[in-house]
């Protein structure tokens, strides 16, 4: 019996002579060199982890210098994953902007291309004044591209000049009318309404169409710009420590094949991206407003119907004037003086010889093909925009889907200390909800100011879009100075284009052809921005 006892003692002593710290670090060394590091200073076998600051301080194959290098790598790789996810979003926004711009440019071009067909029956009023009509379309397109000109002034000027041309053609005189006299005639437009309700109705619809289209393009540009700036916000030092513990500490402790627990990963990512998640309310608000704008394009009168009917509305307005020319002229003579009194001839009228046409704006509709294209375009825009909902609060989840263990392995995953289930609860979204985050220590009283600036960008763009739905093009002050003092941001995004010409978020397809008059800014909204900025800074 003595021999078996001695054998048992010997086995026990042999086991004691093979301590755990002597486990090989071969797997870690292979992994470490695979990440581009040298093997200098890398242990052959496990050592004590007392020197570690981020990983658990048990037996380990990592030194403190290795831990620091891997921590920097984990932050770099995570930032790369965030940017990769963001580039997909940027690509979608850019594609939507390019697609809508192409569609709207085609609508504008087809409308201008129909001028000759629709207005030739007007005779000399069209054939001798083609520049008048092309100038109108040039102004409309310049505005859509981002010019600071006022659509209201451009359209009013068009109708005044058209009235002058028609009056000169109708007046029974071979003498040229003075500029002062023609100016007096033009001023009667508001009081005498020579074009009936057509000019006023057309102006309202055209302004709303172009303001909304331009604002929608700007909203897509602003969204893309916000994404770009947010993606370049660096992860903080506390996040760097948490990412190291999440991603590479398992390798240091011989658990390289064990993935992080999903809830553990969620807490780390929610802490690291807490400021980004605070974008969500204003981001979703802007997306909802853009969807509302897109839906408005199909509402009667639809976008394609408004643009396609511009030549027909002009014809309709002139036809109304010609039928009521005697009445209008009589009233003009009372106000501006008769041509006879001015030595310009008698107050009679030439008979206007124009081809009879009953074409009206209601009858001049876009082709069925154009209508189908509009429907398809708007459905695609809405579909793509809806996908972007809650992007910033979904981002941590999407990152963890690629990094963490699946649902079936939640009892056999890395929980930050060992291979076991992760027990702490998952935090909510946003900075305020991270006060008790067990993985990332954050000061919730100090939000990232770069992110706050982008929140203001989104808020301002949403307000502008909502005003555009009512046909109002609202100018905003540069709020970036109030936020960061950098002088860049809101206005560089094109929101101050009306008061600061040349500052677009998108590149015009062609250079402006002439000077333009700035539109007056809305004072009440300007007064509201400083207190709004202060409130945002305090959040």
């Amino acid at each position: 019996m003595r021999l078996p006892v001695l054998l048992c003692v010997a086995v026990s002593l042999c086991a004691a002579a093979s301590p755990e710290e002597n486990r090989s670090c071969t797997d870690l060394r292979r992994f470490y060199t695979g990440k581009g590091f040298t093997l200098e200073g890398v242990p052959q076998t496990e050592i004590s982890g007392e020197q570690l600051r981020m990983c658990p301080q048990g037996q380990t194959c990592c030194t403190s210098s290795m831990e620091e290098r891997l921590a920097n790598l984990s932050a770099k790789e995570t930032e790369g994953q965030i940017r990769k996810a963001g580039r997909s979003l940027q690509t979608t926004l850019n594609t939507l902007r390019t697609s809508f711009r192409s569609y709207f440019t085609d609508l504008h071009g087809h409308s201008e291309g129909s001028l000759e067909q629709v207005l030739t029956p007007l005779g000399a009023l069209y054939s001798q004044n083609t520049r008048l009509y092309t100038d109108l379309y040039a102004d409309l397109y310049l505005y859509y591209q981002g010019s600071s000109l006022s659509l209201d002034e451009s359209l009013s000027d068009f109708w005044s000049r058209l009235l002058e041309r028609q009056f000169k053609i109708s007046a029974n005189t071979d003498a040229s009318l003075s500029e002062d006299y023609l100016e007096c005639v033009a001023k009667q437009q508001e009081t005498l309404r020579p074009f009936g309700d057509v000019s006023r109705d057309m102006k309202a619809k055209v302004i709303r169409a172009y303001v909304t289209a331009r604002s929608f393009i700007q909203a897509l540009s602003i969204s893309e710009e916000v994404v770009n700036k947010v993606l370049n916000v660096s992860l903080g030092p506390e996040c760097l420590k948490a990412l190291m513990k999440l991603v590479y500490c398992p390798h240091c402790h011989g658990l390289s094949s064990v993935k992080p627990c999903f809830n553990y990963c969620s807490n780390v990512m929610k802490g690291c991206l807490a400021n980004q998640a605070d974008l969500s309310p204003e981001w979703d608000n802007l997306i909802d407003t853009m969807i509302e704008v897109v839906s408005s394009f199909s509402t009667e009168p639809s976008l394609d119907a408004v643009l396609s009917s511009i030549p027909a509305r002009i014809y309709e307005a002139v036809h109304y004037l010609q039928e009521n020319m005697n009445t209008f002229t009589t009233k003009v003579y009372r106000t501006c003086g008769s041509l006879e009194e001015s030595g310009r001839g008698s107050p009679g009228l030439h008979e206007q010889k124009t081809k009879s046409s009953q074409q009206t704006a209601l009858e001049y509709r876009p082709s069925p093909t154009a209508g189908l294209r509009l429907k398809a375009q708007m459905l695609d825009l809405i579909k793509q925009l809806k996908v972007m909902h809650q992007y910033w609060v979904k981002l941590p989840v999407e990152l963890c889907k690629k990094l963490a263990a699946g649902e079936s392995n939640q009892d056999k995953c890395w929980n930050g200390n060992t291979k076991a289930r992760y027990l702490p609860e998952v935090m909510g979204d946003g900075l305020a909800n991270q006060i008790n985050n067990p993985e990332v220590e954050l000061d919730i009283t100090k939000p990232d100011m770069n992110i706050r600036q982008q929140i203001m960008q989104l808020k301002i763009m949403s307000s502008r879009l909502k005003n555009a739905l009512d046909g109002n093009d609202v100018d905003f002050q540069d709020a970036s100075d109030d936020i960061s003092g950098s002088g860049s941001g809101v206005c560089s995004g094109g929101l101050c284009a009306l008061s600061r010409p040349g500052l677009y978020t998108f590149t015009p397809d062609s250079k402006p052809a002439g000077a333009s008059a700035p539109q007056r800014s809305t004072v009440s909204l300007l007064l509201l921005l400083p207190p709004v900025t202060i409130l945002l800074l305090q959040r």
Side-chain angles (χ1 to χ4, degrees):
M1 293 294 292
R2 182 175 296 179
L3 182 61
V5 172
L6 290 174
L7 287 173
C8 289
V9 170
V11 170
S12 299
L13 290 173
C14 289
S18 303
E20 192 177 350
E21 61 262 29
N22 288 334
R23 276 195 310 185
S24 172
C25 292
T26 302
D27 289 344
L28 184 279
R29 289 165 66 85
R30 188 183 302 114
F31 165 78
Y32 194 67
T33 54
K35 290 296 182 179
F37 301 113
T38 66
L39 288 176
E40 183 180 355
V42 179
Q44 294 280 354
T45 58
E46 286 187 334
I47 61 174
S48 171
E50 295 175 356
Q51 79 283 359
L52 299 180
R53 296 181 298 109
M54 305 176 215
C55 295
Q57 295 184 337
Q59 295 298 108
T60 181
C61 285
C62 291
T63 64
S64 58
S65 59
M66 291 171 64
E67 184 185 46
E68 186 174 347
R69 292 190 194 101
L70 288 172
N72 290 327
L73 178 63
S74 65
K76 182 179 179 181
E77 289 177 338
T78 302
E79 287 176 342
Q81 289 296 318
I82 292 170
R83 291 192 182 100
K84 183 179 179 181
R87 280 194 293 272
S88 175
L89 180 60
Q90 286 178 298
T91 299
T92 301
L93 288 166
N94 185 271
T95 300
L96 291 180
R97 181 159 52 93
T98 302
S99 175
F100 181 77
R101 179 183 289 173
S102 174
Y103 171 74
F104 191 85
T105 299
D106 285 349
L107 277 183
H108 177 93
H110 289 149
S111 179
E112 184 175 9
S114 67
L115 278 171
E116 183 175 359
Q117 174 193 347
V118 178
L119 299 185
T120 294
L122 297 181
L125 185 60
Y126 174 72
S127 61
Q128 296 177 16
N129 297 283
T130 54
R131 180 68 182 274
L132 174 64
Y133 307 99
T134 56
D135 279 352
L136 171 63
Y137 275 87
D139 280 354
L140 291 174
Y141 197 68
L142 280 174
Y143 172 83
Y144 163 71
Q145 287 186 298
S147 171
S148 59
L149 62 81
S150 165
L151 277 188
D152 188 275
E153 291 180 12
S154 293
L155 286 162
S156 294
D157 183 59
F158 166 76
W159 290 113
S160 295
R161 290 166 65 194
L162 186 62
L163 180 60
E164 291 175 9
R165 303 295 197 281
Q166 179 63 55
F167 187 84
K168 287 175 71 174
I169 291 172
S170 300
N172 185 16
T173 176
D174 295 325
S176 61
L177 299 174
S178 69
E179 290 296 323
D180 289 342
Y181 192 88
L182 288 175
E183 184 177 347
C184 180
V185 173
K187 286 181 178 178
Q188 308 313 306
Q189 185 182 169
E190 285 301 318
T191 55
L192 301 182
R193 295 169 61 192
F195 299 111
D197 293 327
V198 179
S199 60
R200 186 178 301 178
D201 180 66
M202 174 187 145
K203 179 195 285 189
K205 288 183 171 64
V206 168
I207 286 178
R208 186 176 182 273
Y210 278 84
V211 167
T212 309
R214 165 167 137 159
S215 297
F216 179 66
I217 285 288
Q218 287 179 335
L220 291 171
S221 296
I222 285 290
S223 301
E224 189 177 346
E225 183 181 319
V226 166
V227 173
N228 181 59
K229 289 184 177 180
V230 172
L231 293 180
N232 285 287
V233 173
S234 299
L235 300 174
E238 295 303 322
C239 175
L240 184 143
K241 295 177 184 178
L243 286 172
M244 171 60 196
K245 187 178 178 183
L246 174 76
V247 179
Y248 289 132
C249 285
H251 293 272
C252 291
H253 291 283
L255 298 171
S256 58
S257 63
V258 181
K259 288 188 174 184
C261 301
F262 192 88
N263 287 350
Y264 169 41
C265 177
S266 295
N267 273 343
V268 172
M269 292 303 180
K270 281 174 181 282
C272 288
L273 299 172
N275 282 283
Q276 286 84 339
D278 282 342
L279 284 161
S280 191
E282 287 305 328
W283 175 266
D284 290 348
N285 184 36
L286 180 56
I287 295 298
D288 286 337
T289 309
M290 282 198 280
I291 291 174
E292 188 179 353
V293 167
V294 171
S295 299
S296 76
F297 291 147
S298 302
T299 304
E300 290 297 332
S302 63
L303 186 66
D304 56 344
V306 171
L307 267 67
S308 298
S309 66
I310 291 175
R313 299 309 303 269
I314 294 172
Y315 175 86
E316 189 180 351
V318 173
H319 187 68
Y320 179 91
L321 173 61
Q322 290 173 348
E323 288 187 334
N324 297 277
M325 198 66 192
N326 284 324
T327 303
F328 173 72
T329 305
T330 300
K331 293 178 180 178
V332 166
Y333 290 157
R334 291 175 187 166
T335 305
C336 303
S338 69
L339 299 182
E340 186 177 42
E341 293 170 356
S342 303
R344 304 288 184 184
S346 63
L349 297 172
H350 287 302
E351 268 191 43
Q352 190 69 26
K353 294 182 179 180
T354 62
K355 295 180 181 179
S356 176
S357 174
Q358 296 302 314
Q359 185 179 39
T360 66
L362 292 177
E363 293 167 348
Y364 191 81
R365 292 182 178 277
S367 67
T369 304
L372 290 174
R373 185 183 175 191
L374 172 67
K375 183 178 181 180
Q377 185 83 18
M378 299 311 120
L379 287 175
D380 183 62
L381 284 171
I382 291 174
K383 179 183 177 181
Q384 296 292 337
L385 287 169
K386 283 183 176 179
V387 173
M388 300 178 196
H389 258 298
Q390 295 191 314
Y391 174 83
W392 299 106
V393 296
K394 289 178 180 177
L395 184 56
V397 177
E398 295 302 316
L399 292 173
C400 287
K401 282 181 180 178
K402 299 176 181 178
L403 180 64
E407 187 67 33
S408 61
N409 291 317
Q410 291 308 298
D411 289 321
K412 303 174 184 179
C413 51
W414 172 253
N415 65 7
N417 292 293
T418 187
K419 181 182 177 181
R421 175 173 285 272
Y422 182 75
L423 298 178
E425 65 175 330
V426 178
M427 298 294 101
D429 301 307
L431 187 60
N433 287 316
Q434 306 311 309
I435 189 169
N436 294 316
N437 192 320
E439 310 305 334
V440 186
E441 189 175 333
L442 294 172
D443 185 348
I444 66 170
T445 66
K446 295 181 179 178
D448 187 290
M449 299 312 293
N450 290 316
I451 301 291
R452 297 294 140 174
Q453 185 174 357
Q454 301 317 308
I455 291 174
M456 177 61 82
Q457 286 263 35
L458 297 172
K459 185 182 289 288
I460 289 175
M461 194 65 243
S462 294
S463 295
R464 181 157 199 167
L465 267 184
K466 288 171 183 174
N467 277 282
L469 284 167
D470 297 324
N472 300 321
D473 194 4
V474 180
D475 190 12
F476 292 98
Q477 70 178 27
D478 188 345
S480 59
D481 291 332
D482 300 326
I483 301 175
S484 65
S486 65
S488 64
V490 176
C491 276
S492 65
L495 293 180
C496 300
L498 295 180
S499 59
R500 296 166 67 176
L503 298 176
Y504 319 130
T505 60
F506 50 96
T507 305
D509 297 328
S510 58
K511 295 181 180 179
S516 56
Q519 185 171 341
R520 291 179 298 175
S521 61
T522 305
V523 177
S524 59
L525 285 171
L526 294 179
L527 294 175
L528 284 173
L529 277 177
V532 169
T533 304
I534 293 170
L535 286 173
L536 281 174
L537 288 174
Q538 293 174 342
R539 286 177 58 184

